[in-house]
């Protein structure tokens, strides 16, 4: 939900798009121009819906970056078509290298559980940035500035994650929280206590 909620804010604030045809981000890739059974969900996730009862599906991964299988953490180079096994409980879902995904608790609605303990998944292979957006969830006060944002920046060369200052405020916002930082595909994780102040964390060679 944190990814979806923050992406929704990006759509509102910056005229972005929730569902994106591949050509919107990969206009240079001729093979991506006419693909009509895949789309980007936000700027980080590639979705390939399964519309027929099949055991495998061909999935094209746009060129220009590597892609992570969301379910397994394995990586594949862009610019190729791969076969993905698709049992009934799996839809092909890939994450662009350089992405930062915030993962929250399992909920049925936005205010069921607080976002005071989020998992921050980092997909290595490129620099990346993600802005976590929060507001009161149930009104339009954000239009008058009642919201907050925290920007996460990943430096792939230095293997550092910078968590920026928390900007803005709203009634009931979380003052302090835990971020469980995970490097996808590696046994690397670190728990950070965050109180709204900028912090840079080195993720090189730690467990």
């Amino acid at each position: 939900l944190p990814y979806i909620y923050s992406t929704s804010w990006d759509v509102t604030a910056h005229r972005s798009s929730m569902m994106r045809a591949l050509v919107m981000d990969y206009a240079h890739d001729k093979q991506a121009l006419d693909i009509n059974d895949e789309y980007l969900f936000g700027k980080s996730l590639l979705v390939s819906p399964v519309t027929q009862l099949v055991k495998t599906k061909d999935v094209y991964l746009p060129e220009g970056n590597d892609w992570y299988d969301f379910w397994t953490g394995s990586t594949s180079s862009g610019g190729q078509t791969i076969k993905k096994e698709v049992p009934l409980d799996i839809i092909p879902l890939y994450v662009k290298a350089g992405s930062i995904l915030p993962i929250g608790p399992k909920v049925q609605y936005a205010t069921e559980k607080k976002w005071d303990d989020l998992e921050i998944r980092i997909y290595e292979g490129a620099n990346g940035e993600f802005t976590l957006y929060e507001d009161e969830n149930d009104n339009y006060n954000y239009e008058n500035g009642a919201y907050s944002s925290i920007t996460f920046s990943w430096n792939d060369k230095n293997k550092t994650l910078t968590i920026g200052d928390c900007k803005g405020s709203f009634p009931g916002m979380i003052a302090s929280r835990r971020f469980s930082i995970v490097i996808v595909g590696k046994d690397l994780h670190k728990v950070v206590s965050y109180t709204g102040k900028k912090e840079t964390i080195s993720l090189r060679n730690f467990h």
Side-chain angles (χ1 to χ4, degrees):
L1 184 58
Y3 176 79
I4 297 173
Y5 207 77
S6 298
T7 299
S8 298
W9 169 75
D10 191 36
V11 171
T12 300
H14 303 120
R15 298 181 180 180
S16 185
S17 175
M18 181 72 76
M19 297 175 65
R20 308 165 65 85
L22 300 189
V23 67
M24 295 176 68
D25 291 63
Y26 296 95
H28 63 280
D29 186 347
K30 294 182 179 180
Q31 295 187 69
L33 298 182
D34 295 324
I35 292 180
N36 57 15
D37 64 345
E38 299 178 20
Y39 62 90
L40 295 169
F41 186 62
K43 298 177 181 178
S44 297
L45 299 178
L46 174 69
V47 185
S48 183
V50 180
T51 58
Q52 301 180 36
L53 186 60
V54 293
K55 293 183 178 180
T56 63
K57 184 181 181 187
D58 290 344
V59 180
Y60 179 71
L61 303 176
E63 66 178 8
N65 49 259
D66 291 341
W67 294 90
Y68 285 76
D69 187 315
F70 178 85
W71 307 108
T72 67
S74 62
T75 59
S76 299
S77 299
Q80 64 170 325
T81 298
I82 63 174
K83 285 189 177 295
K84 173 64 178 176
E85 293 186 1
V86 287
L88 293 178
D89 59 342
I90 292 292
I91 182 174
L93 183 63
Y94 291 84
V95 187
K96 182 170 65 175
S99 295
I100 302 171
L101 291 188
I103 306 296
K106 294 181 180 180
V107 294
Q108 298 299 316
Y109 55 92
T111 58
E112 182 180 354
K113 297 178 182 178
K114 291 184 178 181
W115 294 0
D116 56 352
D117 191 353
L118 298 182
E119 181 177 297
I120 307 299
R121 296 183 185 178
I122 298 172
Y123 295 80
E124 294 181 290
N127 293 338
E129 185 175 285
F130 184 85
T131 299
L132 178 69
Y133 169 87
E134 296 175 286
D135 60 24
E136 295 175 90
N137 296 298
D138 59 359
N139 58 53
Y140 291 94
N141 291 339
Y142 68 89
E143 294 181 347
N144 297 316
Y147 65 87
S148 69
S149 63
I150 303 170
T151 298
F152 297 79
S153 301
W154 170 248
N155 185 307
D156 197 62
K157 180 179 179 181
N158 296 332
K159 305 302 179 188
T160 57
L161 177 69
T162 298
I163 306 175
D165 291 326
C166 180
K167 298 180 179 180
S169 65
F170 59 91
M173 70 178 289
I174 299 171
S176 62
R177 67 180 85 205
R178 286 162 37 104
F179 291 132
S180 299
I181 304 168
V182 175
I183 302 292
V184 174
K186 297 182 178 179
D187 185 22
L188 297 175
H189 64 277
K190 185 178 181 67
V191 176
V192 175
S193 295
Y194 178 77
T195 58
K197 300 298 183 182
K198 180 179 178 180
E199 184 174 354
T200 297
I201 303 102
S202 175
L203 299 178
R204 190 186 298 274
N205 299 326
F206 77 88
H207 293 273

